[in-house]
Amino acid sequence: MEARPRTVLCMKWGTLYGPDYVNVLHAACRANITGPFRFVCLTTDGDGLDRGVEVHPIPDFGFTERHYAAGAWPKLAVFARDLCGLSGRGLFIDLDSAVVGPLDPLFEMAGDFIAIAGGPGWRPGSANPAPRLASGVFAFDIGALGPVLDAFTADPAGALTVAGNEQEFIERQLGSGWTRWPHDWVISYKRHLMRRFCGDVIGPHRRPPAGTRIVAFHGDPRPQDLLRPGLAGRFPHLVRAPVAWFRDYWTGHGGKLARAGQDGSRE
């Protein structure tokens, strides 16, 4: 039986994450996926993206400036019944993620919608006892979740009233009908790799453990903060940069290092 098409999806708008974030993610996916796949970036600005990155505008389904500012509501556009003519299995990955292990199992795992089991219990150790859907990395069948988008387009302004961000809205629509990634596949940099009590300021940095496939960043510190010498993040999540494993990851996948005085968001 012929394998279904596979597509990695990402999304970029504004200036917080420059083209290097897309290009590094693309290179890391190429290194960690066997066989053919497509890499699609939905964006408001495709300048500076590498060849091999398929660039499409973010479909407009009634997203306002408030939707772009409060969470990441434009992600709902990937649930369009006709998304840029794509088909098969989709794997959405936030730009502030580091792909550090094989991704084939993320395409192969069964589930209508598979996402991070987030919330306060998203920490090292046992599986999260009270998970909340987090949309930093999710898999789904392209075109199959149109009803979630329909619920948004029926009242885009009202969606902001009932849900604080897009991932809460998705969870409200799916209820219990979503599957959690195995707890060691997608980990949080801040929750799983940083030490308590500012231990990353004075001690050695933890590397992603064996079995990790994606390291997700959320809030501060942000990925490029780990590249520049000095303190990064906010108390109590402070780290002394540069962080060697992330610097090696970034430059090893073609990422540039910001020159002095630059914020690194755009090279």
Side-chain angles (χ1 to χ4, degrees):
M1 185 173 67
E2 186 176 355
R4 290 194 300 168
R6 300 178 297 173
T7 302
V8 175
L9 296 156
C10 66
M11 195 170 284
K12 181 176 81 69
W13 66 81
T15 59
L16 182 59
Y17 299 117
D20 250 12
Y21 275 94
V22 179
N23 296 335
V24 168
L25 180 61
H26 175 225
C29 287
R30 287 202 326 263
N32 286 286
I33 298 175
T34 60
F37 73 99
R38 297 168 70 174
F39 186 98
V40 172
C41 180
L42 304 174
T43 182
T44 56
D45 180 6
D47 289 348
L49 301 187
D50 288 343
R51 293 180 60 183
V53 175
E54 298 183 36
V55 180
H56 296 278
I58 298 173
D60 184 7
F61 288 105
F63 305 117
T64 66
E65 290 185 8
R66 288 185 64 202
H67 292 107
Y68 276 91
W73 290 89
K75 284 186 189 180
L76 299 180
V78 304
F79 299 142
R81 290 179 172 82
D82 181 7
L83 179 64
C84 309
L86 298 169
S87 62
R89 195 66 167 169
L91 177 64
F92 186 96
I93 307 176
D94 272 351
L95 292 181
D96 54 347
S97 305
V99 175
V100 298
L103 295 185
D104 292 348
L106 278 75
F107 285 104
E108 297 161 359
M109 184 173 168
D112 294 335
F113 188 86
I114 311 172
I116 298 169
W122 185 27
R123 297 185 182 278
S126 61
N128 192 340
R132 298 298 306 274
L133 187 152
S135 63
V137 180
F138 60 85
F140 66 109
D141 287 338
I142 295 174
L145 291 176
V148 175
L149 180 59
D150 292 344
F152 172 81
T153 58
D155 187 4
L160 284 167
T161 302
V162 300
N165 52 46
E166 89 295 337
Q167 56 194 19
E168 181 183 343
F169 184 82
I170 295 170
E171 186 170 18
R172 284 174 172 269
Q173 298 305 312
L174 297 181
S176 61
W178 62 284
T179 305
R180 292 73 166 152
W181 294 120
H183 65 86
D184 57 345
W185 280 16
V186 183
I187 67 172
S188 160
Y189 174 74
K190 188 158 52 178
R191 301 271 184 86
H192 293 78
L193 298 184
M194 294 188 75
R195 291 176 171 83
R196 298 176 64 189
F197 308 117
C198 299
D200 288 81
V201 174
I202 58 175
H205 303 125
R206 289 173 173 161
R207 300 178 62 88
T212 303
R213 303 177 189 278
I214 296 178
V215 177
F217 290 77
H218 45 102
D220 293 316
R222 300 186 185 277
Q224 282 204 350
D225 295 338
L226 307 188
L227 301 174
R228 299 183 291 270
L231 290 180
R234 298 180 183 178
F235 182 83
H237 304 292
L238 286 172
V239 59
R240 171 184 41 80
V243 175
W245 76 262
F246 185 79
R247 186 183 180 102
D248 291 345
Y249 165 83
W250 186 263
T251 58
H253 291 100
K256 297 181 286 293
L257 298 177
R259 295 184 293 273
Q262 291 183 321
D263 66 2
S265 62
R266 189 171 289 274
E267 298 287 335

